[in-house]
């Protein structure tokens, strides 16, 4: 039976121990429960087989352990990747993506049920703001997919590149990271931001930091303001300065994400300008060919393969390390928000 008590997965670790302490007395029991949650990711008290039955019943009376419910899975792409649509308790819908990649597997998580940042090339931005996800809702996406595919934790990478702006949900993000760190090293986790400077500065202060990815997407301030209006609040030059002061860890570099839009930001000169913009940063570029969608402006097109190659070559010749998100799995991840977008568009007929 469910009750309306708190979802234990929503409590940051110190609060969880305190909450459990009101019902569970021996400290080793608290540790056992934490292990069932944080290491095994169980979603029922009954699964905690080494906890006495009466204690499980008492816990279930006061608290919940729940995850978002899967309502749709895409059929796996050629490379095995799959997108998941989840529903939350309040009916909000979010997406996550499973991406097997040889001896590693990545799971792409959503951090908000929408996004107020409003980038013009992004389906999540098109549908507008959505509330912050709780730690339980982020961990639930992770554990559900990890369980379904039985992925060993040591093979796991996590990327916060789904719906929403993780640095605008900072506190819950940090609580979620703290749990993920139980199983996954910080260098295996990446947080992608549209450039929320105060959030980047906060992230810099954490004792254990995930990798940082920053969506730059344009080689100059004018064009970035056009497609990423947040640039008016956090100017491009100041954003680059915040990346320069970001503490770099051994063997790590910042990922500069760059969505390639045909005829807009994909020329030879744009690549030269981008190389110049990020000069002096310990960074690599991840070029993401634009993913077309009926909800996005019709002029926005994915560049032809030849232009993508030329753009990448120019960056390389200017001393920049580049990867291109070409595999199917990577592309469906870049298209996060599009599955829910289809749903919303079906339910809400377009006007005009
Ligand atoms: N809000 C964060 C993380 C989620 S978006 C951020 O903006 O970084 C994750 C990535 O998807 C970003 O790099 C974004 O630029 C990219 N993206 C969004 N819409 C896209 C589209 N239609 N095609 C390709 N990439 C897209
Ligand atoms: Fe939000 Fe990122 Fe989409 Fe921009 S690209 S609207 S920040 S989710």
């Amino acid at each position: 039976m469910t009750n309306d008590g708190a979802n234990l997965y929503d409590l940051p670790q110190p609060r969880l121990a305190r909450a459990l302490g009101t019902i569970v007395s021996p400290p080793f029991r608290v540790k056992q429960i934490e292990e069932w949650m944080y290491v095994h990711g169980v979603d029922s008290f009954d699964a905690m087989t080494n906890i006495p039955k009466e204690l499980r019943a008492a816990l279930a009376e006061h608290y919940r352990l729940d995850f978002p419910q899967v309502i749709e899975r895409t059929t796996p792409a050629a490379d095995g990747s799959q997108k998941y649509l989840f529903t939350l308790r309040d009916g909000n819908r979010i997406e996550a993506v499973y991406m097997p990649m040889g001896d590693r597997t990545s799971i792409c998580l959503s951090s908000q049920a929408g996004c107020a940042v409003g980038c013009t090339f992004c389906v999540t931005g098109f549908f507008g703001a959505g509330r912050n996800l709780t730690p339980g809702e982020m961990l639930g996406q992770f554990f559900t997919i990890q369980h379904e595919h039985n992925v060993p934790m040591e093979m796991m990478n996590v990327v916060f590149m789904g719906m929403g702006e993780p640095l605008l949900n900072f506190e819950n993000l940090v609580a979620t990271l703290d749990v993920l760190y139980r199983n996954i090293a910080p260098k295996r986790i990446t947080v992608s931001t549209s450039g929320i400077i105060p959030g980047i500065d906060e992230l810099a202060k954490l004792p254990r930091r995930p990798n940082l990815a920053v969506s730059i997407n344009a080689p100059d301030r004018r064009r970035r303001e056009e497609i990423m209006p947040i640039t008016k609040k956090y100017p491009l030059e100041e954003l680059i300065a915040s990346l320069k002061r970001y503490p770099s860890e051994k063997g790590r570099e910042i990922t500069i994400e760059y969505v390639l839009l045909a005829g807009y930001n994909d020329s030879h000169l744009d690549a030269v300008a981008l190389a110049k913009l990020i000069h002096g940063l310990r960074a690599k570029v991840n070029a993401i060919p634009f993913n077309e969608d009926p909800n996005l402006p019709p002029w926005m097109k994915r560049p032809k393969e030849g232009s993508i190659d030329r753009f990448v070559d120019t960056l390389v010749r200017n001393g920049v390390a580049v990867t291109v998100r070409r595999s199917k799995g990577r592309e469906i991840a870049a298209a996060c928000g599009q599955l829910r977008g289809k749903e919303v568009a079906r339910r809400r007929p377009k006007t005009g």
Side-chain angles (χ1 to χ4, degrees):
M1 224 179 65
T2 53
N3 62 45
D4 275 331
N7 180 7
L8 288 182
Y9 280 106
D10 285 343
L11 306 181
Q13 268 168 324
R15 272 182 56 204
L16 174 72
R18 256 181 283 137
L20 289 177
T22 61
I23 300 179
V24 184
S25 39
F28 79 94
R29 287 272 181 240
V30 174
K31 285 255 163 299
Q32 283 174 323
I33 295 168
E34 277 188 7
E35 177 133 338
W36 281 112
M37 290 173 58
Y38 296 156
V39 179
H40 302 286
V42 299
D43 62 356
S44 85
F45 292 105
D46 277 339
M48 302 180 169
T49 47
N50 59 359
I51 305 293
K53 233 178 160 164
E54 309 72 59
L55 188 49
R56 281 187 253 154
L59 285 166
E61 226 172 86
H62 293 89
Y63 295 111
R64 294 181 291 120
L65 272 185
D66 55 34
F67 290 158
Q69 297 298 305
V70 178
I71 49 171
E72 193 179 330
R73 295 167 186 76
T74 56
T75 33
D79 65 0
S81 55
Q82 243 182 322
K83 187 180 278 193
Y84 286 73
L85 184 64
F86 292 90
T87 175
L88 309 179
R89 266 186 129 220
D90 62 2
N92 267 300
R93 289 174 178 201
I94 54 158
E95 293 181 20
V97 186
Y98 164 72
M99 291 176 282
M101 293 180 291
D103 58 354
R104 307 239 28 113
T105 288
S106 277
I107 296 184
C108 174
L109 304 179
S110 290
S111 57
Q112 297 182 308
C115 189
V117 175
C119 305
T120 58
F121 51 83
C122 173
V123 177
T124 306
F126 170 81
F127 284 107
R131 71 164 170 85
N132 283 338
L133 299 191
T134 64
E137 288 164 340
M138 290 186 262
L139 293 167
Q141 299 167 57
F142 170 78
F143 281 121
T144 302
I145 296 178
Q146 190 248 340
H147 290 164
E148 265 200 33
H149 293 273
N150 223 341
V151 190
M153 288 293 185
E154 60 277 11
M155 284 175 64
M156 197 67 96
N157 286 1
V158 175
V159 297
F160 287 85
M161 288 185 189
M163 293 164 56
E165 171 47 58
L167 297 187
L168 292 179
N169 185 13
F170 197 82
E171 217 176 293
N172 291 343
L173 174 74
V174 172
T176 306
L177 289 172
D178 282 341
V179 173
L180 291 175
Y181 291 157
R182 298 277 289 242
N183 300 296
I184 304 170
K187 65 172 183 203
R188 301 272 181 213
I189 302 177
T190 300
V191 170
S192 173
T193 177
S194 56
I196 309 297
I197 297 174
I200 294 172
D201 287 337
E202 282 305 305
L203 210 53
K205 290 185 206 148
L206 295 181
R208 285 184 297 177
R209 283 184 292 278
N211 296 315
L212 180 61
V214 184
S215 304
I216 294 291
N217 296 339
D220 57 55
R221 182 175 178 164
R222 179 189 62 79
R223 273 179 284 178
R224 196 168 190 273
E225 276 184 7
E226 231 165 52
I227 59 172
M228 299 185 75
I230 190 83
T231 310
K232 296 194 185 97
K233 187 159 184 195
Y234 302 118
L236 183 55
E237 302 72 23
E238 287 175 31
L239 173 59
I240 299 291
S242 77
L243 302 183
K244 289 205 165 132
R245 65 177 174 263
Y246 192 78
S248 66
E249 263 147 297
K250 236 178 99 204
R252 293 215 216 167
E253 51 197 358
I254 294 172
T255 302
I256 302 293
E257 293 165 285
Y258 191 94
V259 175
L260 286 163
L261 288 158
Y264 184 75
N265 64 359
D266 65 339
S267 74
H268 169 78
L269 283 180
D270 296 334
V272 174
L274 176 63
K276 210 164 154 196
L277 180 71
I278 63 172
H279 183 76
L281 279 180
R282 268 244 306 251
K284 60 166 185 260
V285 169
N286 185 210
I288 314 171
F290 173 66
N291 240 296
E292 296 175 14
D293 186 276
N295 290 307
L296 298 175
W299 68 263
M300 291 189 176
K301 297 274 182 238
R302 179 194 168 101
K304 301 232 160 36
E305 292 302 304
S307 324
I308 300 173
D309 289 341
R310 258 196 317 279
F311 188 88
V312 168
D313 281 352
T314 308
L315 282 178
V316 171
R317 258 183 276 118
N318 281 273
V320 179
V322 197
T323 52
V324 185
R325 199 179 277 188
R326 267 215 178 95
S327 76
K328 190 68 202 151
R330 290 281 161 169
E331 284 185 17
I332 68 171
C336 227
Q338 295 190 354
L339 188 60
R340 185 195 65 151
K342 267 193 219 152
E343 275 262 329
V344 179
R346 268 204 299 272
R347 284 184 288 158
R348 189 204 293 172
K350 264 204 269 183
T351 48

